[in-house]
């Protein structure tokens, strides 16, 4: 964070890229990556009314949950990627309120980092 003002990736301010990647990019990446595994299981759990859903392999003998417990567990599997997507949308609108410029940046740090 000390030299973020020295960089301009893709022609944008390094600070803006940092904020957007932290509050938009990383949550979206996490939602896609986690959602690839959890969404199908959660949706199948709702459809079949049990958890783990029919046809899903488990590592050891597992008690099949039905009723509200199954819905709770399926809901947790679906809600994690949804939460990350909502966090990313929220973050997109919050980034503009975050500090975009460093007051009195020390550009001598930039020159010493580039020399190495």
């Amino acid at each position: 964070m000390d030299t973020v003002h020295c960089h301009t990736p893709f022609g944008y301010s390094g600070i803006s890229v940092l904020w957007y990647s932290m509050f938009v990019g990383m949550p979206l990446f996490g939602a896609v990556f986690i959602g690839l595994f959890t969404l199908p299981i959660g949706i199948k759990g709702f459809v079949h009314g049990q958890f783990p859903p029919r046809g899903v392999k488990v590592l050891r003998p597992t008690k099949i949950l039905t009723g509200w417990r199954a819905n709770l567990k399926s809901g947790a599997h679906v809600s994690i990627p949804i939460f990350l997507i909502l966090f990313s949308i929220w973050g997109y609108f919050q980034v503009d309120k975050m500090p975009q410029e460093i007051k009195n940046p020390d550009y001598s740090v930039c020159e010493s980092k580039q020399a190495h």
Side-chain angles (χ1 to χ4, degrees), residues 2 4-5 12 15 24-25 75 77 80 84 95 101 107 112:
D2 295 335
V4 73
H5 61 277
Y12 295 103
I15 296 170
V24 180
H77 277 73
I80 292 170
L84 289 172
V95 168
E101 298 297 324
Y107 289 108
S112 66

Side-chain angles (χ1 to χ4, degrees), residues 2-112:
D2 295 335
T3 62
V4 73
H5 61 277
C6 300
H7 307 286
T8 56
F10 309 114
Y12 295 103
S13 164
I15 296 170
S16 294
V17 172
L18 175 74
W19 288 132
Y20 276 102
S21 64
M22 283 177 51
F23 287 97
V24 180
M26 288 175 61
L28 272 180
F29 177 76
V32 169
F33 185 74
I34 293 170
L36 286 173
F37 300 103
T38 62
L39 275 176
I41 293 173
I43 292 171
K44 283 181 185 177
F46 281 129
V47 170
H48 295 149
Q50 69 181 36
F51 196 89
R54 287 185 214 125
V56 174
K57 293 185 179 185
V58 292
L59 295 175
R60 54 190 148 99
T62 304
K63 182 180 177 187
I64 295 175
L65 300 176
T66 57
W68 67 270
R69 289 186 181 124
N71 288 336
L72 183 69
K73 218 157 188 187
S74 296
H77 277 73
V78 172
S79 65
I80 292 170
I82 290 174
F83 169 76
L84 289 172
I85 289 171
L86 291 175
F87 182 82
S88 180
I89 292 169
W90 172 82
Y92 176 78
F93 293 107
Q94 298 302 313
V95 168
D96 292 332
K97 298 174 186 173
M98 307 225 174
Q100 297 296 320
E101 298 297 324
I102 296 175
K103 293 182 170 92
N104 303 323
D106 184 14
Y107 289 108
S108 65
V109 176
C110 301
E111 296 166 4
S112 66

